[in-house]
Amino acid sequence: MDPRNSEKTKALAKRVAFSTIGIVIISLGTTICRIGGVGVDPFTAMNIGISGILGLSLGIYQLAVNIALLVLVFIFGRKQIGIGTIINMVAVGFLIDFFTWLLTSMLPLDGSIFQAGVCLVIGVGLFTFGVSTYMNTDTGVAPYDAVALIIADRTPAPYTPARMAQDILVAAIAFFVGGPIGVFTVISAFFTGPLITFWNDHATIPMLKHAGAYAHS
């Protein structure tokens, strides 16, 4: 085997591994916010609400929605698809189901404001760290995350307004279907960018570079 190909294969394996770790951390952070009663991100909130109405698990319903979105992404923006896309779309819903079961069976949840605050801080920290880790491996984005990227690529609309409009629309749907809307929903729709940038600069990019898994090194 060509040594250059071997090195590329190892680098890809590292990127996929760190992308998967990031996705697990995203799911854990989302779950902590969910059980703390401070809401979840707009897409998950919408899917929890609709899956509850339909009597399906979040994992099953979110996978079905992701498959539908993936078809559209494949048609209009297939460059956004990678192995991380598949891992994200399959794993996140089931991981949130699992972590919800695990943490609610292990933790003494009292619904207090103090507990909600602790869950919010820990959940947001983990969520943004996971997003930073997953995005910097450049192994593909989740179908939902690809929507605003495609809009920005194919229309005059800049990415940030397109993403905010997408999240606000989805959050509104989540509200009407009884999804868990809360402080974290607002934070994830508007204010996670600076935290992700902080993690990029001070943790994830240095970590990925050191491990040989940074996509742009």
Side-chain angles (χ1 to χ4, degrees):
M1 177 182 289
D2 188 328
R4 289 172 296 180
N5 291 336
S6 177
E7 288 301 317
K8 287 180 180 179
T9 301
K10 289 179 181 178
L12 177 60
K14 290 178 181 179
R15 287 165 50 204
V16 171
F18 275 98
S19 175
T20 303
I21 290 168
I23 288 166
V24 172
I25 294 171
I26 290 169
S27 304
L28 179 59
T30 301
T31 304
I32 289 172
C33 286
R34 180 186 186 184
I35 67 173
V38 293
V40 296
D41 64 275
F43 184 59
T44 304
M46 179 185 72
N47 290 335
I48 289 173
I50 296 176
S51 65
I53 292 171
L54 297 177
L56 299 173
S57 74
L58 172 63
I60 294 293
Y61 178 77
Q62 188 152 302
L63 177 58
V65 172
N66 275 324
I67 290 172
L69 287 175
L70 183 64
V71 172
L72 296 176
V73 173
F74 184 80
I75 294 170
F76 296 107
R78 66 184 66 182
K79 67 181 181 181
Q80 306 297 340
I81 299 173
I83 190 169
T85 305
I86 307 303
I87 296 170
N88 189 306
M89 62 179 280
V90 172
V92 170
F94 292 107
L95 283 169
I96 293 173
D97 277 341
F98 170 73
F99 284 134
T100 299
W101 167 80
L102 181 66
L103 295 180
T104 52
S105 64
M106 291 176 57
L107 299 177
L109 304 174
D110 57 16
S112 67
I113 294 177
F114 174 75
Q115 177 185 276
V118 170
C119 287
L120 179 64
V121 171
I122 295 174
V124 169
L126 287 172
F127 178 84
T128 51
F129 178 72
V131 170
S132 175
T133 302
Y134 142 75
M135 288 182 65
N136 280 298
T137 61
D138 194 26
T139 53
V141 301
Y144 178 79
D145 294 332
V147 172
L149 291 169
I150 292 170
I151 292 172
D153 189 45
R154 288 180 166 264
T155 73
Y159 170 74
T160 299
R163 180 58 190 250
M164 289 176 64
Q166 175 184 335
D167 283 338
I168 291 169
L169 173 62
V170 171
I173 296 171
F175 175 80
F176 285 110
V177 297
I181 298 292
V183 177
F184 177 59
T185 314
V186 177
I187 290 174
S188 66
F190 295 101
F191 304 117
T192 55
L195 281 171
I196 293 171
T197 300
F198 171 82
W199 289 123
N200 287 346
D201 295 339
H202 299 285
T204 54
I205 290 178
M207 173 185 69
L208 293 172
K209 284 183 175 179
H210 179 74
Y214 183 50
H216 306 291
S217 58

